[in-house]
Amino acid sequence: MSGDSNRLPVLAAEINRAHEAAGLAGRELVRHAIAAGQRLIEAKALVAHGEWLPWLKKNCAIPTRTAQLYMRLAKHRELIEAKSADVAHLTINAAVDLIDRKPTLSERLDDIEAACDLVDKELEDCRKARKMIADPVFFALVVHEHGGMLDAVRKLTAVVSALHDRMDLLDDERDVFVLKRAIDISERAVKTGIEVGFSCERHLGVLMKVC
């Protein structure tokens, strides 16, 4: 607990510096705001329940709504960086628009394709590891403990579910090439899921024998 208490004054100083930089900077405005938001998120996790707003008011020269905005930008940092050609010239309002704007069908497909690539990489890593590790039990434990496959599958499941929740995008799409790509990527996602299923069944079967 004392370690957490020592960390909070450091975070407060860094939050204030980042907020001041965000107010002065013409360029890198969003980056400074995100930096402040990341530290605000960390500080909030360290402050006792119910003490967050009093701590913020006492230690940081940031209005509550501004702090909430910074934290929101920080939570969506990866999305902002992925959707912006140049974050250095991005305004706060433009960054918020990137967060709020609904992805197009093409962007949803990009997300699924990237998630499939990630799963494929994990599967390839598993195949290489299997050649190096003769003991099937030890190999299954390594795969389980590493957790990379599980994280990749969760990502793929999330982006596929996101598209399923917006099937109206398919109904509204008029570009035949995008529609064909949707079919191709959907088939790839299914095949990837089947391959992962077989892999998991093998690993689980091995682990069940020793548990």
Side-chain angles (χ1 to χ4, degrees):
M1 193 68 180
S2 60
D4 291 349
S5 300
N6 292 336
R7 175 67 176 154
L8 283 170
V10 176
L11 286 170
E14 292 179 349
I15 290 166
N16 286 323
R17 284 198 298 271
H19 174 56
E20 182 179 358
L24 296 175
R27 289 169 56 101
E28 302 289 349
L29 175 63
V30 171
R31 291 197 189 280
H32 288 303
I34 289 174
Q38 290 171 325
R39 287 157 179 79
L40 284 162
I41 291 170
E42 184 181 349
K44 186 176 181 180
L46 297 177
V47 173
H49 181 68
E51 294 298 319
W52 166 240
L53 292 180
W55 182 89
L56 180 67
K57 183 176 181 180
K58 179 180 179 181
N59 295 278
C60 302
I62 304 180
T64 301
R65 292 189 65 179
T66 302
Q68 292 170 340
L69 174 60
Y70 287 172
M71 293 165 74
R72 187 177 179 215
L73 292 174
K75 289 176 181 177
H76 293 89
R77 176 182 61 81
E78 291 184 0
L79 173 65
I80 293 169
E81 292 177 347
K83 301 301 181 186
S84 174
D86 188 359
V87 178
H89 291 87
L90 204 62
T91 65
I92 295 291
N93 287 338
V96 172
D97 288 342
L98 288 175
I99 296 172
D100 291 338
R101 181 176 65 80
K102 298 299 183 183
T104 64
L105 177 57
S106 290
E107 290 170 336
R108 296 279 191 188
L109 295 176
D110 288 342
D111 291 340
I112 295 175
E113 193 166 32
C116 284
D117 289 341
L118 186 60
V119 174
D120 285 345
K121 181 182 180 302
E122 290 295 333
L123 286 168
E124 180 60 26
D125 287 346
C126 281
R127 284 189 283 268
K128 291 179 180 178
R130 185 68 187 91
K131 293 179 181 179
M132 298 172 59
I133 302 175
D135 186 343
V137 175
F138 181 56
F139 168 68
L141 288 170
V142 169
V143 172
H144 177 73
E145 290 298 321
H146 179 262
M149 176 66 76
L150 182 58
D151 291 340
V153 171
R154 283 174 177 163
K155 176 67 175 178
L156 179 57
T157 302
V159 294
V160 170
S161 297
L163 179 57
H164 284 169
D165 292 341
R166 291 297 314 278
M167 293 305 289
D168 57 299
L169 292 174
L170 288 169
D171 297 333
D172 296 338
E173 185 60 55
R174 295 294 178 265
D175 190 325
V176 294
F177 294 104
V178 174
L179 290 172
K180 183 180 183 305
R181 184 176 177 230
I183 295 172
D184 293 341
I185 290 179
S186 295
E187 290 177 350
R188 182 186 175 189
V190 170
K191 290 178 181 177
T192 300
I194 292 172
E195 189 171 358
V196 168
F198 284 145
S199 177
C200 288
E201 283 181 9
R202 288 196 299 270
H203 301 157
L204 182 61
V206 170
L207 291 176
M208 290 293 288
K209 291 179 181 178
V210 297
C211 291

